[in-house]
Amino acid sequence: MSDEKKAIENLGRRHFLRNSAVTGVAGAGLAGGFGAGALMSSREARAAEDGIEVAPGELDEYYGFWSGGHQGEVRILGVPSMRELMRIPVFNIDSATGWGITNESKRIMGDSARFLNGDCHHPHVSMTDGHYDGKYLFINDKANTRVARIRLDIMKTDKITTIPNVQAIHGLRLQKVPHTKYVFANAELPIPQVNDGRDLESPENYWTMFNAIDAESMEVAWQVIVNGNLDNTDADYTGRFVASTCYNSEKGMTLADTMRAERDWVVVFDVEAIEAAVEAGEFETLGDNEVPVLDGREGSKLTRYIPVPKNPHGLNTSPDGKYFIANGKLSPTCTILAIDKLPELFDDAIEPRDTVVGEPELGLGPLHTTFDGRGNAYTTLFIDSQVAKWNIEDAIRAYDGEEVNYLRQKLDVHYQPGHNHASLTESRDADGKWLVVLSKFSKDRFLPVGPLHPENDQLIDISGEEMKLVHDGPTFAEPHDCILMRADQLSPSRVWTRDDPFFAETVAMAEADGVTLERDNTVIRDGSQVRVYMTSIAPQFGLSEFKVKQGDEVTVVVTNLDQVEDLTHGFVMVNHGASMEIGPQQTASVTFTADKAGVYWYYCSWFCHAMHMEMTGRMLVEKA
Ligand code: K7E
Ligand code: CUA
Ligand code: CA
């Protein structure tokens, strides 16, 4: 070991602040005068030793899908390198790809395209028999009450559904077994039913609902009215039960009121009973939509309410399918619910608390729990800024009165962690290799960048007996949750196929105009609507100019004929707010008004060729 490395080791791993502080420590003269070259080699050695180095020519072992929080997108990271590989715009507007600007994306956004913001929390990958099947990823929008689906073959959002009758979709999980037929989504905040202004001031008449969305059609299948509110949720491995936390059993309208009770609850939904009730017509509809709304309030055969301490937050199913675990938040405990006792509970053979088989005390502010597939759970402690590793069966034995220490380790993280997520933890394939901890605060971890700080996503090696922090990664506002799947569980397309439904409506429009997209470069006038069809082959657009009249509504449709992987063109119409991505073999379109006479250049925005700068053309706008 070099002297310099020894000096680093001597400072102690935990307090050394890893890579980001190497410069700071050297600058402070603690290790004394080693040059930049030496620092590099030390850093590389450390990365290799930690097993997180992914050298040029190598690929990451895991895909990570990160929620982009109130930035509204989904991000793809490689794990363990923690490098951001791609961004998928969902509820946000994206200048580069033209998401929210192109006609194809506006069709997918539908009525909600008028919203420019979103707030993503929970990305989840579709499953078949409890294994990730790599087909879709689903994500909630708390800000505007939506659920979106991303096609994992092309990594584009392909459906966005606004959930009626409720506000603020927060917890979201998928049916795991037999396959992801439903997306389960909690509406967090109770509202008047019906919410049309007739009764604003009677909170006792506010209700919220548990929602199931058909994963294929993305239509809302049914909604269940509950007592209290709904926070996080997860499904079991039988296909019958889903459980959600409620932190506002008080139905308080102020902070103080939501903390009054010592216990709130977990509400368990019986999906089979709900489907039977829908089948039997035991529902109403509300407002101007046809969604079946069922009554799941206390006393209903569709639900059971299990008291748990206090203002619980995360709800996580263990990968062996045995337990739902509710995270106490204002209680230092997690509550372990035995899923195999739930049939008896629904038969009224036992009391709700009889399903509790453990309630380990872990530390302050338990928010979320994840699993290594070896019987251990990892719970984030928001207030303690730690992750607690504990053994589930030992916690159950301790609850039975045995003298046993279920706590295995507590590791400091920086700081105030929300979710954590172990590799493949939400499937039967939890492999206990990596743990990502999404820390909400990053003070002193990175170069200062103004009053707004990044969040800090930390990577922890959990393959051995001890958790070992190996990486800090700054992220932008704000990943609540992420999901890791093995790289071999996914095989995205490298180029588009011409019959992709993503742009099928644009192809149909061209057909109606008698245009063959792969061949024609032409302008079709239809009153004051003008459709401009052109191809692109690096480094040329099929049209180097076209002419319209002032006031025309112009739709430009570009079809990228390049077949080469990675050869994406862009189309930007200068001073018209039009921008879009056109990948190899893709068709994309954008509509704008040519409201000023004159010459306007368009150009390719994706660097595609040595002559990329020359990939331009002119729109000639004649005076009205
Ligand atoms: Cu804990 Cu929205 Cu899952 Cu944030 S939620 S942390
Ligand atoms: Cu085409 Cu740059
Ligand atoms: Ca409460």
Side-chain angles (χ1 to χ4, degrees):
M1 193 184 277
S2 69
D3 286 354
E4 146 212 333
K5 188 117 184 276
K6 260 183 225 141
I8 291 170
E9 294 294 334
N10 289 343
L11 288 169
R13 293 183 161 244
R14 276 271 309 99
H15 299 288
F16 184 60
L17 307 188
R18 317 297 311 203
N19 305 337
S20 62
V22 169
T23 320
V25 170
L30 284 178
F34 39 85
L39 280 175
M40 279 305 289
S41 63
S42 153
R43 191 161 66 201
E44 280 164 9
R46 180 65 56 84
E49 182 191 310
D50 289 338
I52 60 169
E53 182 178 293
V54 178
E58 295 175 356
L59 301 175
D60 278 295
E61 274 179 81
Y62 296 85
Y63 281 100
F65 291 92
W66 253 243
S67 140
H70 42 298
Q71 208 274 341
E73 67 189 2
V74 165
R75 301 168 193 152
I76 311 174
L77 270 70
V79 175
S81 75
M82 298 292 274
R83 293 176 298 196
E84 184 180 291
L85 304 175
M86 186 45 63
R87 296 178 171 203
I88 306 172
V90 185
F91 303 111
N92 57 323
I93 307 301
D94 184 56
S95 174
T97 58
W99 190 256
I101 300 171
T102 65
N103 296 316
E104 293 71 34
S105 62
K106 282 182 171 170
R107 273 179 216 127
I108 288 162
M109 293 179 119
D111 290 343
S112 72
R114 70 187 188 279
F115 297 130
L116 306 182
N117 71 313
D119 183 8
C120 306
H121 291 226
H122 302 114
H124 292 288
V125 172
S126 56
M127 284 186 246
T128 300
D129 192 29
H131 307 281
Y132 295 137
D133 61 24
K135 197 170 177 195
Y136 297 123
L137 181 140
F138 299 87
I139 190 145
N140 72 301
D141 171 25
K142 181 168 169 177
N144 295 304
T145 316
R146 292 175 288 183
V147 172
R149 181 174 80 186
I150 290 167
R151 272 176 54 194
L152 292 180
D153 58 340
I154 52 170
M155 302 289 182
K156 300 285 184 198
T157 306
D158 86 319
K159 294 268 187 191
I160 295 182
T161 299
T162 299
I163 314 301
N165 305 327
V166 294
Q167 279 181 20
I169 295 296
H170 182 229
L172 177 147
R173 290 296 178 103
L174 309 177
Q175 194 173 25
K176 301 173 197 277
V177 174
H179 70 281
T180 300
K181 176 180 172 195
Y182 295 122
V183 178
F184 299 115
N186 284 343
E188 184 178 340
L189 306 171
I191 55 171
Q193 299 292 352
V194 176
N195 194 25
D196 62 359
R198 74 181 75 164
D199 187 10
L200 303 178
E201 320 243 7
S202 313
E204 64 278 12
N205 296 330
Y206 294 6
W207 305 100
T208 195
M209 301 183 202
F210 175 72
N211 309 280
I213 298 119
D214 182 293
E216 277 304 324
S217 69
M218 284 295 281
E219 278 166 20
V220 183
W222 37 261
Q223 303 181 291
V224 178
I225 301 178
V226 294
N227 293 90
N229 82 337
L230 292 167
D231 193 2
N232 279 293
T233 185
D234 205 350
D236 73 352
Y237 284 88
T238 72
R240 179 174 169 192
F241 298 114
V242 185
S244 298
T245 48
C246 158
Y247 63 79
N248 191 4
S249 62
E250 305 88 343
K251 230 152 68 176
M253 299 293 124
T254 64
L255 172 66
D257 283 347
T258 62
M259 298 190 296
R260 236 186 316 113
E262 278 313 304
R263 279 180 173 172
D264 292 284
W265 57 60
V266 166
V267 51
V268 181
F269 300 90
D270 182 338
V271 174
E272 289 170 9
I274 292 167
E275 285 183 322
V278 171
E279 192 69 19
E282 295 164 12
F283 61 82
E284 308 172 57
T285 59
L286 291 173
D288 54 3
N289 61 80
E290 296 296 304
V291 178
V293 176
L294 300 96
D295 191 344
R297 287 172 285 193
E298 270 163 299
S300 159
K301 64 183 177 185
L302 310 178
T303 57
R304 289 293 181 273
Y305 291 77
I306 303 173
V308 300
K310 167 174 188 174
N311 288 41
H313 184 56
L315 190 297
N316 304 88
T317 309
S318 59
D320 57 11
K322 289 182 173 170
Y323 309 113
F324 287 135
I325 294 183
N327 297 252
K329 194 166 74 185
L330 291 188
S331 161
T333 56
C334 277
T335 303
I336 308 173
L337 306 172
I339 291 170
D340 65 1
K341 295 191 185 224
L342 294 175
E344 291 170 84
L345 176 63
F346 274 86
D347 289 344
D348 293 320
I350 55 174
E351 293 298 312
R353 281 291 295 185
D354 294 341
T355 62
V356 175
V357 294
E359 209 148 65
E361 192 168 322
L362 302 170
L364 295 182
L367 287 191
H368 294 280
T369 295
T370 189
F371 309 92
D372 63 11
R374 300 190 296 269
N376 300 306
Y378 301 76
T379 300
T380 49
L381 303 172
F382 181 81
I383 296 169
D384 282 340
S385 280
Q386 289 181 316
V387 173
K389 176 181 176 181
W390 54 284
N391 184 273
I392 300 171
E393 294 307 324
D394 282 354
I396 292 170
R397 287 161 59 206
Y399 192 72
D400 281 342
E402 277 186 54
E403 286 275 330
V404 47
N405 183 9
Y406 46 78
L407 267 175
R408 292 291 185 271
Q409 187 192 356
K410 285 189 179 181
L411 182 76
D412 289 355
V413 294
H414 299 84
Y415 308 91
Q416 264 84 30
H419 277 266
N420 61 358
H421 186 97
S423 36
L424 282 83
T425 188
E426 284 164 13
S427 71
R428 292 189 198 277
D429 306 313
D431 65 8
K433 285 195 176 165
W434 298 107
L435 175 68
V436 173
V437 178
L438 304 175
S439 301
K440 303 291 190 187
F441 291 74
S442 69
K443 193 171 102 63
D444 297 332
R445 294 303 265 192
F446 306 113
L447 284 176
V449 288
L452 179 62
H453 290 48
E455 280 67 51
N456 184 15
D457 293 354
Q458 299 189 293
L459 184 67
I460 294 169
D461 181 348
I462 55 167
S463 60
E465 279 300 296
E466 296 229 328
M467 292 185 275
K468 191 175 145 201
L469 178 63
V470 294
H471 182 82
D472 274 348
T475 45
F476 187 56
E478 110 176 17
H480 285 260
D481 195 6
C482 66
I483 188 164
L484 305 184
M485 61 194 295
R486 283 198 321 271
D488 64 63
Q489 293 179 302
L490 208 50
S491 49
S493 312
R494 307 295 182 98
V495 296
W496 291 80
T497 50
R498 289 296 306 148
D499 58 357
D500 198 296
F502 190 79
F503 48 80
E505 284 189 48
T506 309
V507 171
M509 178 180 81
E511 274 167 13
D513 277 339
V515 168
T516 300
L517 286 169
E518 297 81 359
R519 181 193 66 204
D520 296 340
N521 290 288
T522 183
V523 177
I524 307 276
R525 175 166 287 281
D526 177 2
S528 63
Q529 298 189 326
V530 178
R531 289 183 286 280
V532 179
Y533 293 96
M534 66 176 91
T535 58
S536 68
I537 301 180
Q540 248 182 330
F541 290 116
L543 290 174
S544 58
E545 63 171 76
F546 65 86
K547 202 176 272 182
V548 298
K549 292 196 178 67
Q550 187 177 4
D552 282 344
E553 186 193 275
V554 180
T555 298
V556 174
V557 182
V558 182
T559 298
N560 181 353
L561 298 184
D562 282 301
Q563 315 221 13
V564 182
E565 186 179 334
D566 205 6
L567 212 165
T568 295
H569 298 289
F571 176 89
V572 168
M573 180 63 75
V574 172
N575 290 359
H576 284 78
S579 172
M580 61 189 181
E581 158 203 3
I582 318 114
Q585 296 290 301
Q586 185 186 3
T587 293
S589 70
V590 63
T591 299
F592 54 89
T593 303
D595 49 4
K596 286 201 193 84
V599 172
Y600 292 92
W601 287 88
Y602 49 93
Y603 68 90
C604 174
S605 53
W606 237 287
F607 213 111
C608 56
H609 189 275
M611 305 307 285
H612 154 80
M613 296 304 295
E614 289 82 349
M615 190 167 171
T616 58
R618 288 171 306 148
M619 174 173 73
L620 311 177
V621 185
E622 297 176 326
K623 273 197 177 135

